[in-house]
Amino acid sequence: MKCLIIAAGKGSRLRSLTEIKPLAPLNKKPLIERVIDSAMDAGVNDFYVVVGYKGSSVRTHLEKVSLAKKVPITVIENEEWERANGISVLKAKHYFSEPFLLMMGDHIFDAGIARLLIRQPLDNDRILLAVDEDLENSFIDMEDVTRVWVQQNLIQKIGKGIKNYNCFDTGIFFCGTALFKAIEESSINGDDSLSGGVRFLAKQKRAQAIAINGLFWCDIDEPKNFKQAEEYLLSLTENCN
């Protein structure tokens, strides 16, 4: 199974803790490495990581991770990293011909979420997004989270500013290659974002959602989320001892 990870942004909201967000040590392990470990636990054996800001440092670390974990990691440069995240997805277009997992480089998660996704039947014409139906999730940053309105397992609306929503976007997708064309079409209309591509497919009823049923995930976007995630991971370690 192939996995695309987007890790090109500057992470300005976390600058008080780290200069290079993907390499931020979360309980002594870099954030990007935690994402890779969870994906590997779910069955991923081939990685493609899009880097941008301070990309050479991230590339150097990923080369070490690749050797240590004996897993191929292809690093893709996005020199337009200041644009919306859909551009990072498009930079990887030519590496995929079959459905693949898509993840954010700053979202840590229970590997069970990815396992849940890849168990679902999917063709190249559709995408599947893992959504969190817990609207009281204490790990959610309501000012930044992407909100989703789902009916009968189909995404109707998605965006950070929508008023009517019944779940949250976890940033973990199982995607057919139609996503690339969808982002290109959305970009023509002035929206370079990944959500723009999802909206394009949603209008054609080709964007589905699946609930994560309480499994853990956290978008590490600012110091509060970072601290919450540290405490959560520490509690897991303590419970195992």
Side-chain angles (χ1 to χ4, degrees):
M1 173 64 66
K2 289 184 176 183
C3 178
L4 173 60
I5 300 176
I6 304 305
K10 190 174 185 178
S12 57
R13 295 177 69 195
L14 207 61
R15 291 298 291 279
S16 63
L17 298 180
T18 182
E19 171 68 14
I20 307 174
K21 186 175 183 180
L23 303 185
L26 186 59
N27 280 11
K28 301 181 180 180
K29 182 181 291 189
L31 189 53
I32 188 69
E33 196 169 337
R34 287 194 175 277
V35 176
I36 289 171
D37 283 348
S38 293
M40 289 182 67
D41 285 348
V44 172
N45 56 10
D46 193 5
F47 288 91
Y48 299 79
V49 183
V50 181
V51 301
Y53 178 74
K54 300 287 186 180
S56 59
S57 296
V58 181
R59 175 189 286 274
T60 297
H61 181 74
L62 290 173
E63 289 171 349
K64 295 177 181 177
V65 171
S66 178
L67 288 173
K69 299 182 184 298
K70 297 180 173 58
V71 62
I73 301 177
T74 300
V75 179
I76 303 165
E77 299 282 348
N78 177 10
E79 296 178 352
E80 301 176 279
W81 58 266
E82 292 182 277
R83 294 176 65 183
N85 59 358
I87 299 300
S88 286
V89 177
L90 290 180
K91 297 294 182 182
K93 174 181 177 180
H94 299 296
Y95 292 93
F96 298 93
S97 59
E98 297 178 350
F100 60 95
L101 282 169
L102 170 61
M103 300 173 178
M104 307 301 109
D106 56 358
H107 289 202
I108 62 171
F109 60 95
D110 187 313
I113 297 176
R115 292 192 201 103
L116 181 64
L117 286 177
I118 61 179
R119 284 200 299 264
Q120 311 305 313
L122 187 76
D123 55 43
N124 269 330
D125 290 330
R126 297 177 295 121
I127 64 169
L128 182 59
L129 169 62
V131 297
D132 185 356
E133 296 179 327
D134 180 7
L135 301 185
E136 303 300 323
N137 187 340
S138 62
F139 286 89
I140 298 294
D141 178 358
M142 288 303 298
E143 294 183 3
D144 187 66
V145 69
T146 298
R147 306 170 185 188
V148 190
W149 177 256
V150 174
Q151 288 184 314
Q152 297 181 333
N153 300 321
L154 290 174
I155 296 173
Q156 306 295 321
K157 295 181 180 180
I158 184 169
K160 293 188 177 184
I162 64 174
K163 294 183 179 180
N164 295 320
Y165 60 94
N166 53 12
C167 52
F168 299 119
D169 172 359
T170 67
I172 307 168
F173 296 78
F174 189 27
C175 301
T177 56
L179 177 63
F180 299 117
K181 180 64 174 177
I183 295 174
E184 289 171 341
E185 292 291 339
S186 178
S187 183
I188 290 172
N189 294 318
D191 186 351
D192 294 335
S193 69
L194 171 57
S195 290
V198 176
R199 282 189 284 271
F200 180 87
L201 292 171
K203 290 178 182 178
Q204 302 172 9
K205 298 184 177 180
R206 293 194 287 150
Q208 298 173 268
I210 185 167
I212 63 172
N213 300 319
L215 292 170
F216 170 78
W217 72 284
C218 183
D219 177 1
I220 311 296
D221 203 44
E222 41 112 25
K224 178 185 176 182
N225 301 128
F226 194 92
K227 181 66 174 178
Q228 284 179 302
E230 277 191 325
E231 293 174 351
Y232 174 80
L233 294 172
L234 183 60
S235 72
L236 293 182
T237 301
E238 292 174 345
N239 289 336
C240 289
N241 295 333

